[in-house]
Amino acid sequence: MARTTKRVFLKASAAGAAMGLIPAAAQAKAVRPKRQAEPLEHELTGPWQFRQSGTGDWLAATVPGTVHTDLLAAGKIPDPFYRTNELDLQWIDKKDWEYRTTLDLDAATLAHDHLELCFAGLDTYADVYLNDVLVLHADNMFRRWTTDIKAHAKPGANVLRVLLRSPVQEGLKLLAAYGFDPPAVVEWSEIGGLGDKKISMFTRKAPYHYGWDWGPRFVTSGIWRKVTLRAWNTARISDLHIVQDSLTPDEAHLTAVFEIVSDIAGPAVVDVQCPDHPAVKGHTRIRLQPGLNTAEVKFVISKPRLWWSNGLGEAFLYNIVGQLVAARASDRREARTGLRTLKVVQKPDANGTSFSVELNGVPVFMKGANHIPNDSFLPRVTPARYEHEVRSAVDTHMNILRVWGGGIYEDDYFYDLCDENGILIWQEFVFACVMYPGTRDFLDNVRAEAVDNVRRLRNHPCIALWCGNNEIDTAWQNDVPNGGWGWKQKYTPPQRDELWTAYKAIFYGILAETVAQHDPQRFYWPSSPLAFWDGHDTVRHADLNTKQQSGDIHYWGVWWGELPFSSYRTYIGRFMTEYGFQSFPEFKTIEAFAAPGDYDIFSEVLKSHQRSSIGNGTIQKYMARDYKVPKDFRQFLYVGQVLQAEGIKTAMEAHRAHMPYCMGSLFWQINDCWPVASWSSIDYYGRWKAQQYFARKSFAPELVTSWIDGDTVKVCVVSDRLTDVPVTLTLEVLDFNGTVHKTVAQPFLLAKNSSAMAFTGPAADLLAGASPESVLLLSTLADGSDVLAEDRLYFRSVKDLALPQASVDVNVKDLGGEFAIGLSSPVLVKNLYLSLDDVDGFFSDNYFDLLPHRPKVVRFKPAGSVSAKALKNDLKLMHMAQAV
């Protein structure tokens, strides 16, 4: 069926309410239109059908959707994520597929001057036919495609057909034509039956679809974003860009830049209003010419409210409505924006050059994670899944997410949520870990893609910067003969020159020029990681082994280098954009993709759901260093999550302790695209791993962090607050039965937006003869009776601790919609893990140390119905003393 509405442009998620008609009678009178009509839009929701091209019966389809998910819904294939089904479904991407629907067009619709089909996303090689006439050829998943079909439309039924050519077959043709194989990593060509033929770099499609070291290989095809039919007369607004010209506490001066497509020459009026702030308005009379017109309307906001990142203030947003009245036409569009200044500061200092974000004049330590697409099949990502991810980031005190370059330019709704919640975005263009061709057609396609997405996203205040690619500079290192990942050495000098010329054209040329032309107030950085770029073609590559540090760093000495977690305290750059460690998801998630016979980390199924080349054995190796490796499978999953969380806790807190030298800490990664063992802190089903709970404490506005350096205990305090606070730091050495052996208390002023070493002393002095296997150091930062932060430091590895067997007293109280779970124990309960087999839900804390004689209350919000009695009876407890 078709959904028909007046065309009303609201926030990009289309979740707002429709505005009224243009209240500009005087302005309309000045233009003297014969007839005014807003453009009409019909979303083509179906019914749609699909089939393998030219063969078989037509089956019901969903648009937006993919071939894989439509086959699944039709019962033609099994769940792609279950066990090793991925291997049996690789035939799908070798075939061509077609979709069709019928447009019933009446005379009133056909009477419009223009009748356009608008595809928000076609994946990827698509030929669009109306009544068997080719009306559009598409070859880029990331572009919006529009074609006028008026000349080919007729009254009544019109058949719309979309032929989707195999991205694999098209990629193989392009590879053969190119003449040699460009370098690539983590493309699962073998799983796809292609041997060593890497093809992802030739197609403007999500790179992760070809496989990654955390994701499967599902090279999808489909109409993956919505399709609309747009009818309009004379003129319409094609873009509205809100430019912030100046910002002071008294006034914000802005310009609304309209782009208007017109068929005729003639007078028109454009105006700007802010419905929630009636004093904010402006208008101007213009004369349209046939073609594309640009018009500017200046306006002022008095006493502007600023947009702040999470934790520093309100992320205030202004809704700006732009309106056009012209002969025989009117149009309106809304652009939502936030007022803020944002700079990426690179300032020379004694240690190199800084790399930090300054928001509204305030240096802000960036706390966050890397974001990948939420599903291998993108149309399955619902608004609720985006909301859960962004809310999780907010609840964990994050203020930034990096939209990584191997995924997609995300859905508008994702950026809307980040705008509303103060989550900044490190936005990468979609290029990662391969060298790209430099043919004219490819470069033209890249330019159109970049322009389209920069213009789509530039009104979002959450966009902090644009980055050209992920890890290609560090992989190639053109000026270092033996540098990089060993790629260059495999090619002849002419081939190297060809690949490097293409790299420069894309990342120093096209993308930089696009940002400069269409979003000039934002910072552009050609690759991550990178130490320096002169704005032309000279760079310094990221290298943590140099004394003078600058730019951003990806640190993988932990995991790939198998260095201990303590190395996180040594290898610290100015801005840490990647670091991480893996874990398995919890047992309930394993059950969703594996059978009981698969419950072994070295089973074929669990190895299939592990895409790192060093994978499950590395988790086990690290675990054996600090923990007793459990024989029980569920206990192994639990200890593995704590292992990951403790390791990344070390990194997060080391980075913050080194501010202002280091001003960013983004772990890899917050989410998953399928159920898998990976670096994620939230699994595919949205379940928080231990690491996400630990991040909430490590990224809290106030932090106290402690560690042992040789024979010395060090305690550092950190504050993100913008005011000084008088506090008391209390150190308690207590044994696992709750006896306090020593207390040290010292008051001091916790300086705003800073880190400071608060205590340094010999471990032996703190222990004062107590057994290091049986005591811990509890560090508490308090403002009077208000505890701001706590930390626990153990003097031995967990496997060497004399952990007591604990009995936990549990009490459950129904609070109406959620439950309060009271927990207490006479002895230490290390890393207490709460779970329920039959009920999903969210625990406010988990995997925590329950201290002796110090009760704790955890809140639980169930996803379904459960009673307090059932919750208490079914609650499962696991802790380190059990994990043997």
Side-chain angles (χ1 to χ4, degrees), residues 212-225:
W212 216 265
D213 57 3
W214 36 258
R217 185 188 186 278
F218 290 113
V219 185
T220 59
S221 292
I223 305 170
W224 75 289
R225 282 178 170 162

Side-chain angles (χ1 to χ4, degrees), residues 1 32 97 116 123 128 138 166 181 241 251 259 329 346 368 387 409 481 505 551 571 632 646 687 702 710 788 795 870:
M1 63 183 292
R32 291 185 175 85
W97 300 86
E116 296 173 337
D123 179 14
V128 180
S166 162
D181 299 355
H241 181 203
E251 288 184 333
E259 288 189 359
Q346 298 179 88
E387 290 161 8
Y409 307 94
Y571 294 101
D632 178 78
E646 291 284 4
R687 296 169 179 137
E702 294 91 5
L788 304 178
F795 294 87

Side-chain angles (χ1 to χ4, degrees), residues 647-664:
I648 301 308
K649 172 183 185 289
T650 301
M652 291 183 284
E653 297 183 4
H655 300 158
R656 293 188 70 193
H658 278 77
M659 71 177 294
Y661 169 82
C662 176
M663 286 297 288

